[in-house]
């Protein structure tokens, strides 16, 4: 944390004219942008601190605060979204931000909503896109505009919004934006709940139920790790069904069961086993009071967010979950790697 104060800028003209103090002969400072919809919390602070570490003390860190109406399906959700600009300025400055760019809707969309928008394509119609039609088109449209307005060398986004991050990376690659996209690990509260501006809407009972999201993800991760550890033992020790059978004949039932588990361990634990471990936790939470209403739990390819088949034995994946607790909808995810044996 620092004592520097973030400068509030409201218009594109102010941002274009912004020149921080520096030596006349100094080279153009590297600029990083962290895009937010405000209501900043420790997760955003982590992004800002990472941006500051990447560009160094001589670089610029711009934090955008804009509640994008194109990303909300209902006006009530847009109106309900928290707006805490004074607190956002304090947090952004303390975390290392130089500028908070907080434009009005008219500044970003002069006159009316844009007629020309960026389409997220089929990847944007899955999971979050299926639950929130048009959300990712609106997200990519405003991200593209803010990238043009802020002109960064790199832009940082949290991995909690994994599908959003994947789509931004795809847009930047497909449309040749001259910017590096950096993903930052999901920030969590001490009890494991992923940090989100929406957490403030949970009462204590709802929050207890909501913890099932992170517990489901961790259970799936642990299931995969256990299976991969068994497979590593099988490779190292030459475990076989014959050894298990021999131990059974000797009356060593517990050792035989262990040997059989090692011998049958798949190298990846299997996508089906990972999904099942997560679903067990989520189904239990559906019976709690208040209940967790599951939207989806999906094991997907991080490149395009298509479902991973049960016979996948190697490669990266994202286990993603979305659910509603009371009136609050929450998302979370965790990256996984199949096929690791170390």
């Amino acid at each position: 944390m620092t004592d520097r104060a973030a400068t509030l800028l409201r218009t594109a003209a102010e941002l274009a004219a912004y020149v921080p103090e520096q030596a006349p002969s100094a080279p153009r400072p590297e600029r990083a942008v962290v895009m937010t919809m405000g209501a900043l919390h420790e997760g955003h602070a982590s992004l800002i601190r990472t941006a500051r570490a990447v560009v160094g003390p001589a670089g610029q860190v711009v934090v955008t605060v804009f509640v994008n109406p194109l990303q909300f399906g209902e006006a009530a959700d847009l109106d309900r979204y928290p707006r805490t600009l004074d607190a956002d300025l304090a947090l952004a400055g303390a975390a290392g931000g130089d500028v908070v760019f907080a434009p009005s809707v008219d500044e970003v969309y002069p006159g009316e909503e844009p007629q020309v928008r960026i389409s997220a394509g089929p990847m944007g119609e899955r999971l979050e896109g299926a639950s929130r039609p048009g959300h990712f088109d609106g997200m990519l449209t405003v991200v593209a505009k803010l990238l043009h307005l802020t002109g960064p060398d790199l832009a940082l986004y949290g991995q909690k919004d994994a599908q959003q991050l994947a789509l931004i990376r795809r847009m930047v690659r497909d449309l040749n934006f001259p910017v590096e996209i950096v993903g930052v690990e999901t920030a969590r509260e001490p009890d494991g709940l992923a940090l989100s501006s929406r957490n403030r809407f949970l009462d204590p009972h709802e929050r207890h139920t909501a913890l099932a999201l992170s517990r489901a993800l961790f259970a799936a991760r642990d299931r995969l790790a256990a299976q991969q550890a068994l497979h590593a033992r099988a490779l190292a020790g030459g475990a076989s069904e014959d050894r298990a059978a021999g131990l059974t004949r000797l009356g060593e039932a517990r050792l035989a069961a262990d040997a059989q588990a090692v011998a049958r361990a798949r190298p990846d634990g299997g996508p089906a086993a990972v999904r099942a471990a997560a679903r067990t936790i989520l189904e239990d939470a559906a019976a709690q009071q208040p209940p967790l209403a599951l939207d989806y739990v999906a094991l997907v390819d991080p490149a395009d967010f298509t479902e991973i088949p049960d016979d996948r034995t190697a490669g990266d994946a994202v286990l993603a979950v979305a659910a509603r607790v009371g009136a609050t909808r929450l998302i979370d995810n965790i990256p996984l790697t199949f096929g690791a044996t170390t």
Side-chain angles (χ1 to χ4, degrees):
M1 306 289 278
T2 73
D3 293 329
R4 73 170 70 202
T7 299
L8 176 63
L9 303 178
R10 290 286 197 173
T11 69
E14 290 175 343
L15 182 61
Y18 173 75
V19 179
E21 294 182 6
Q22 63 182 66
S25 59
R28 173 189 175 277
E30 190 174 28
R31 174 178 284 184
V33 65
V34 174
M35 296 184 187
T36 82
M37 289 205 294
L40 303 189
H41 50 64
E42 177 56 29
H44 298 110
S46 176
L47 289 170
I48 298 167
R49 287 194 295 267
T50 302
R52 172 55 60 197
V54 171
V55 301
Q60 296 178 15
V61 176
V62 175
V63 179
T64 68
V65 172
F66 180 64
V67 183
N68 180 27
L70 302 188
Q71 290 175 242
F72 291 83
E74 298 180 6
D77 289 337
L78 176 62
D79 293 340
R80 185 171 180 247
Y81 196 87
R83 290 155 171 87
T84 58
L85 184 57
D86 289 343
D88 294 345
L89 280 167
L91 185 148
D98 297 299
V99 168
V100 168
F101 178 49
S104 66
V105 173
D106 287 340
E107 181 70 19
V108 177
Y109 304 123
E112 59 181 4
E113 290 187 358
Q115 297 300 301
V116 177
R117 307 187 187 192
I118 291 178
S119 170
M123 184 177 170
E125 297 171 358
R126 301 172 186 133
L127 300 186
E128 284 301 292
S131 298
R132 305 164 68 186
H135 168 76
F136 285 126
D137 293 352
M139 180 275 294
L140 290 178
T141 298
V142 79
V143 166
K145 293 202 71 166
L146 290 172
L147 286 175
H148 287 312
L149 291 172
T150 58
D153 299 287
L154 62 152
L156 294 86
Y157 300 90
Q159 291 178 352
K160 184 178 81 71
D161 297 297
Q163 192 172 4
Q164 169 181 285
L165 174 59
L167 280 162
I168 292 171
R169 282 178 166 151
R170 188 66 187 236
M171 178 186 73
V172 165
R173 187 184 74 181
D174 287 355
L175 301 183
N176 298 102
F177 278 70
V179 61
E180 177 186 356
I181 303 300
V182 178
V184 179
E185 184 178 356
T186 300
R188 298 186 179 276
E189 301 197 35
D191 58 10
L193 189 67
L195 283 167
S196 170
S197 302
R198 297 176 184 271
N199 291 352
R200 69 186 66 194
F201 298 132
L202 299 169
D203 68 30
H205 299 292
E206 290 171 340
R207 183 186 175 86
H208 182 266
T209 296
L211 291 175
L213 273 69
S214 57
R215 289 196 295 109
L217 297 176
F218 298 156
R221 178 196 61 192
D222 293 345
R223 167 74 173 177
L224 177 60
Q227 285 297 109
Q228 291 181 156
L230 281 174
H231 182 68
R233 284 177 57 193
L235 292 178
S240 67
E241 294 281 359
D242 289 343
R243 181 172 183 272
L247 287 167
T248 299
R249 288 193 295 270
L250 292 172
E252 297 288 349
R254 190 168 65 178
L255 291 176
D258 179 70
Q260 189 173 65
V262 172
R264 292 181 178 178
R266 292 182 57 179
D268 56 13
V274 168
R275 292 186 181 95
R279 282 194 175 277
T280 297
I281 304 294
L282 297 169
E283 288 169 1
D284 287 345
Q288 293 183 11
Q289 290 299 326
L292 181 143
L294 183 65
D295 186 348
Y296 62 76
V297 56
L299 185 65
V300 297
D301 188 321
D304 58 10
F305 271 65
T306 55
E307 281 280 350
I308 286 179
D310 285 346
D311 60 357
R312 173 72 63 86
T313 60
D316 292 332
V318 171
L319 181 62
V321 62
R324 190 174 294 275
V325 182
T328 304
R329 188 174 184 277
L330 301 169
I331 64 172
D332 202 351
N333 71 85
I334 195 169
L336 301 171
T337 301
F338 288 84
T341 58
T342 57

